[in-house]
Amino acid sequence: MNEIPSSFTGQRGSLTQNAGIGQGPVPLYPYRSQAFFELERDRVFRRAWLMIGRVEELPEAGCFIVRQIDPCAVSALITRDKDGKVQAFYNSCSHRGSKIIDVAEGRQTRFACPYHGWTYANDGRLANIPDERNFFDIDKATCGLKQIATEVWDGWIFVNLSSPPEVTLAEFLGPFRDHLAGYVYLGADTPVIFSATLNANWKVVSDAFIETYHIPFIHPKTIGPTFASDENPFGRFLTAKTLGPHGYASMYGNSGYATHPDHHVERIAYKAAASVISAAATNETEAFLCHPAVNPTASASWSMDDNLLFPHVQIGNGPGGFWTHHFWPLTVNTCRYESRFYMRPATNMRERFQHELYVGRVIEVILEDLKNVSTTQEGIDTGGQEFMQLQDSEICIRHNVSQIIRWAEAATVKEALS
Ligand code: FES
Ligand SMILES: [Fe+2]
């Protein structure tokens, strides 16, 4: 039997070879070293632009959200002011540092610190100090909330904890920006959110979502029959590319898959859907599916794409729309994971039913992945292995780890990006 090519349509090892990122073993110390964790925090998470949400979460002036940037212990208050501008601030009072807000989101244009009532406008200005005359020539103009550098690209909100950031968001995104430019974000204002705290280094969890080699072993009964088949039993990628520190992989789908005739519930639910891994109907997804970043090889055997937004985000897209995964380091061997699956609200019972089934199915698959991460970490922590042996379908892991190491070692962001 001829060997199946490494990318489903290419030559053995071709994706990794074409990317020019080496083919040797990849070290495991970034997954268990406390010293590396601290470098990663200071040189990756404190220097990179971090995607923390979408503008739809702040639909009107006066809306706000609070986001935790876990590795750096930063609580960020993100507001939309009366001019529509989205800005982020440290959630910390200029008086004695207290957190000024302790809810995840809401709508208010003024924020009063609970400790002594200093009050801030949603553009960060300090508006009022109770008993101001008992202070000593205090200059209110210099006592606003401390800003965090914020930029918005295609609806995504990014923050940067360097003051000032070494590079612009456009420089940071580089070719990734062109890759996704004009992408149609279906149902961007109505995500279903799934989150968990896990006993694994954040990269162990991130790695679990960017390779398909594990599908026949971890997901034999769920997505096994849709993401692999007799012609491609290990679900090798259709293609994958690096784009600066970012990248993408396009994944194989079994075009011969059909819902079993006895699975009546599934057959009713997916009657109008673009695919069984979709929550949208075909008539909604036309513009989205035409985008060149969606199914970039225009394959009839396509399931989904994973867009890797360095350092810790994946933006997935499938036949029905998009979703995101965030992987936030907490300690060297714990992390917070959050997924958001975007879909527009159901307009009738059948759609509602389809959405519920889709979400249930997605969570079942995610739980299969997550069940494996703590034991993977325990194995890594034994110290018995120094390296990972990665194959071509694990190109995204190789790229991400090598970029993390590169940023951790680089004196400047410009050097890391060069
Ligand atoms: S710490 Fe905020 S008003 Fe005192
Ligand atoms: Fe998986």
Side-chain angles (χ1 to χ4, degrees):
M1 187 180 138
N2 288 336
E3 196 183 355
I4 303 163
S6 199
S7 69
F8 181 58
T9 51
Q11 298 301 308
R12 179 175 178 270
S14 60
L15 299 174
T16 308
Q17 230 159 23
N18 291 345
I21 54 174
Q23 289 157 285
V26 171
L28 274 170
Y29 69 82
Y31 292 77
R32 61 177 174 229
S33 154
Q34 178 62 29
F36 188 83
F37 173 77
E38 287 164 21
L39 262 185
E40 194 176 64
R41 176 192 64 205
D42 295 341
R43 294 197 151 180
V44 180
F45 284 89
R46 284 196 176 277
R47 299 197 300 184
W49 284 94
L50 305 172
M51 194 274 270
I52 54 163
R54 281 199 62 82
V55 289
E56 289 82 0
E57 295 172 68
L58 303 148
E60 291 165 25
C63 292
F64 75 90
I65 54 174
V66 175
R67 287 283 181 273
Q68 191 66 19
I69 304 170
D70 295 305
C72 309
V74 169
S75 173
L77 167 65
I78 301 113
T79 65
R80 189 190 279 279
D81 69 16
K82 64 178 185 328
D83 300 321
K85 191 172 171 197
V86 173
Q87 293 178 86
F89 304 94
Y90 288 89
N91 183 8
S92 173
C93 180
S94 307
H95 176 220
R96 275 168 46 203
S98 171
K99 257 179 157 179
I100 59 164
I101 186 115
D102 209 16
V103 294
E105 59 185 27
R107 213 179 147 172
Q108 63 192 64
T109 53
R110 297 217 157 196
F111 298 91
C113 176
Y115 205 168
H116 313 89
W118 283 35
T119 303
Y120 304 87
N122 65 353
D123 60 3
R125 274 179 307 112
L126 175 59
N128 185 52
I129 300 177
D131 197 14
E132 185 177 343
R133 289 177 61 190
N134 212 25
F135 281 90
F136 311 96
D137 300 324
I138 195 159
D139 180 5
K140 282 219 299 259
T142 61
C143 292
L145 293 175
K146 187 170 175 202
Q147 263 191 318
I148 300 173
T150 315
E151 285 200 43
V152 175
W153 164 68
D154 261 14
W156 299 111
I157 304 168
F158 288 78
V159 293
N160 192 310
L161 297 179
S162 301
S163 182
E166 290 179 51
V167 297
T168 64
L169 177 62
E171 288 170 304
F172 172 74
L173 292 174
F176 187 81
R177 198 160 159 256
D178 303 328
H179 177 63
L180 285 190
Y183 193 92
V184 181
Y185 291 100
L186 297 168
D189 50 354
T190 46
V192 172
I193 304 168
F194 177 80
S195 67
T197 300
L198 301 162
N199 292 321
N201 181 276
W202 68 278
K203 296 185 291 300
V204 166
V205 187
S206 157
D207 293 353
F209 290 93
I210 51 174
E211 56 92 352
T212 45
Y213 184 34
H214 71 275
I215 284 177
F217 307 99
I218 299 291
H219 309 294
K221 294 210 169 106
T222 51
I223 53 168
T226 49
F227 279 68
S229 69
D230 288 345
E231 65 168 354
N232 189 3
F234 296 101
R236 289 180 180 179
F237 290 159
L238 299 168
T239 190
K241 275 204 176 108
T242 61
L243 301 165
H246 321 286
Y248 68 85
S250 187
M251 296 178 186
Y252 171 87
N254 178 7
S255 54
Y257 177 81
T259 307
H260 193 280
D262 291 344
H263 293 174
H264 303 294
V265 169
E266 197 173 290
R267 286 167 74 86
I268 294 167
Y270 289 108
K271 216 166 152 191
S275 112
V276 292
I277 57 158
S278 162
T282 36
N283 59 357
E284 296 174 279
T285 53
E286 214 171 316
F288 169 74
L289 291 171
C290 285
H291 190 280
V294 176
N295 187 8
T297 62
S299 171
S301 302
W302 171 72
S303 59
M304 57 165 279
D305 308 312
D306 218 342
N307 297 291
L308 315 175
L309 178 49
F310 182 84
H312 73 317
V313 177
Q314 295 167 18
I315 303 172
N317 56 258
F322 78 108
W323 59 89
T324 57
H325 297 299
H326 273 82
F327 310 95
W328 289 106
L330 295 173
T331 66
V332 65
N333 57 11
T334 61
C335 68
R336 184 167 64 87
Y337 159 73
E338 184 182 279
S339 284
R340 290 176 176 240
F341 291 87
Y342 295 86
M343 56 187 100
R344 62 158 183 73
T347 55
N348 57 48
M349 275 310 288
R350 197 203 54 73
E351 281 179 9
R352 173 76 196 274
F353 179 50
Q354 180 191 333
H355 289 188
E356 298 288 344
L357 193 69
Y358 168 71
V359 170
R361 192 186 182 105
V362 161
I363 289 176
E364 191 177 5
V365 174
I366 289 176
L367 289 175
E368 288 176 335
D369 287 311
L370 299 187
K371 206 170 149 215
N372 200 43
V373 298
S374 55
T375 47
T376 300
Q377 185 68 44
E378 284 166 23
I380 290 171
D381 285 345
T382 63
Q385 301 294 340
E386 295 293 323
F387 296 97
M388 302 185 278
Q389 311 293 333
L390 300 178
Q391 60 132 286
D392 207 34
S393 292
E394 294 166 307
I395 175 177
C396 298
I397 299 176
R398 182 185 294 278
H399 179 52
N400 192 244
V401 178
S402 70
Q403 286 296 320
I404 295 283
I405 294 172
R406 187 181 173 89
W407 277 63
E409 290 175 351
T412 64
V413 170
K414 282 213 157 74
E415 183 189 322
L417 287 173
S418 66

